[in-house]
Amino acid sequence: MQTKRSTYQSRWLPFFLLAPQLAITLVFFIWPASQAVKSSFERTDPFGFKTTFIGLENYARILADPSYLNALGRTAIFAVSVTVLSMGTALLLAVCVNRVMRTSRFYTTLLVWPYAVAPVVAGVLWWFLFNPTIGLLPHLLDWFGINWNHRVSGTQAMILITIAAAWKQISYNFLFFLAGLQSVPPSLIEAAAIDGASPFKRFWTIVFPLLSPTTFFLLIININYVMFETFGVIDATTGGGPGQATMTLVYKVYTDGVAGLNIGSSSAQSVLLMGIVIVLTFIQFRFVERRVNY
């Protein structure tokens, strides 16, 4: 296989073109990450006047803290729930839109809009919908005998942030699933239909395996989204409550660092969170990718 090799008249032009991206990565990722790693080995007083090197003491205290271990388990449940709900709903909508080809652009435009909404705005929107006093959905649930009040029920608060976070991500998943569905050769589906395969069997044995690269990519993206980008949703809807029932790892980093002024502990938690995401991504590439058909 022959590959094209680009040549430049000036040897410095490639470095000049890469410079803006490298500068952004250095300023907004490498430098903050290095400062977080440095701070995770230190203890700083609340006013920032004195810093002491304490080695791994922050990590040892965090891993022995029951509230951190509870937040870790809560984050796992939250990540699985949001990923399954958002990807499942997006796949269902993509299949429906793919069947309605004449007006697919109209439906696609409507379904993509939530992706442009900021996480905080999405959280406020669902906070209004599920507000026990002025919200519409609690009144509808009351007809079915469900007394909704996420301010006092930890389970209902977790359901609220799961729905809000999944709704924000459905548009992104929908676009990729729809593109994957439209790339499936129609001749394969028509041949299976002629052989007498039912619509469900055609989808499960032909379409879904061909979507496995897209599904694998979205699985990694959704896990990273839940781990890092759901802070705005949680802060706008429940603020980590009630009774820390929705205190996930990323929100605990903020609570301990900004509200509690414990910079060392917060930095150690952020480093551990990054390590957890790296390990999960490695496991997915090491074991899940084997089932992907390219």
Side-chain angles (χ1 to χ4, degrees), residues 25-93:
T25 303
L26 179 63
V27 172
F28 293 102
F29 181 75
I30 302 297
W31 174 251
S34 61
Q35 289 297 307
V37 174
K38 174 178 174 293
S39 299
S40 68
F41 298 107
E42 297 174 343
R43 177 189 296 137
T44 305
D45 67 90
F47 301 101
F49 295 141
K50 183 179 179 181
T51 301
T52 307
F53 180 78
I54 58 174
L56 298 174
E57 186 175 331
N58 283 326
Y59 292 95
R61 187 180 296 111
I62 289 171
L63 295 177
D65 185 4
S67 64
Y68 181 81
L69 299 179
N70 291 334
L72 180 62
R74 201 175 297 121
T75 302
I77 297 173
F78 181 54
V80 172
S81 303
V82 171
T83 301
V84 171
L85 181 60
S86 63
M87 291 183 64
T89 307
L91 179 59
L92 178 62
L93 293 174

Side-chain angles (χ1 to χ4, degrees), residues 174-195:
F174 166 78
L175 285 176
F176 281 89
F177 275 132
L178 182 61
L181 287 170
Q182 293 180 347
S183 66
V184 175
S187 59
L188 295 177
I189 301 175
E190 292 171 359
I194 293 174
D195 290 340

Side-chain angles (χ1 to χ4, degrees), residues 55-264:
L56 298 174
E57 186 175 331
N58 283 326
Y59 292 95
R61 187 180 296 111
I62 289 171
L63 295 177
D65 185 4
S67 64
Y68 181 81
L69 299 179
N70 291 334
L72 180 62
R74 201 175 297 121
T75 302
I77 297 173
F78 181 54
V80 172
S81 303
V82 171
T83 301
V84 171
L85 181 60
S86 63
M87 291 183 64
T89 307
L91 179 59
L92 178 62
L93 293 174
V95 171
C96 295
V97 170
N98 192 46
R99 288 176 175 271
V100 189
M101 294 303 296
R102 290 184 179 179
T103 55
S104 60
R105 290 185 178 180
F106 174 72
Y107 289 121
T108 301
T109 303
L110 291 179
L111 291 171
V112 166
W113 280 357
Y115 184 62
V117 177
V120 175
V121 177
V124 172
L125 172 65
W126 284 99
W127 180 85
F128 273 110
L129 288 174
F130 278 99
N131 188 284
T133 305
I134 61 175
L136 174 63
L137 295 179
H139 291 286
L140 296 177
L141 293 173
D142 190 48
W143 292 351
F144 298 96
I146 301 175
N147 183 19
W148 180 274
N149 192 345
H150 64 267
R151 295 170 179 170
V152 296
S153 173
T155 302
Q156 293 180 357
M158 181 60 78
I159 293 174
L160 171 58
I161 65 170
T162 299
I163 294 175
W167 177 81
K168 178 70 179 65
Q169 191 67 3
I170 284 175
S171 302
Y172 185 87
N173 298 335
F174 166 78
L175 285 176
F176 281 89
F177 275 132
L178 182 61
L181 287 170
Q182 293 180 347
S183 66
V184 175
S187 59
L188 295 177
I189 301 175
E190 292 171 359
I194 293 174
D195 290 340
S198 63
F200 177 78
K201 189 174 183 179
R202 293 199 297 268
F203 175 81
W204 188 249
T205 58
I206 298 176
V207 178
F208 192 72
L210 292 176
L211 284 177
S212 57
T214 304
T215 305
F216 177 69
F217 166 76
L218 291 177
L219 179 64
I220 296 175
I221 294 298
N222 278 263
I223 293 294
N224 282 273
Y225 161 74
V226 174
M227 290 293 183
F228 295 114
E229 299 181 30
T230 52
F231 166 80
V233 172
I234 298 173
D235 190 56
T237 51
T238 63
Q244 298 188 351
T246 55
M247 182 73 72
T248 60
L249 290 180
V250 66
Y251 200 80
K252 187 170 175 54
V253 170
Y254 161 78
T255 303
D256 290 352
V258 178
L261 296 178
N262 192 345
I263 304 300

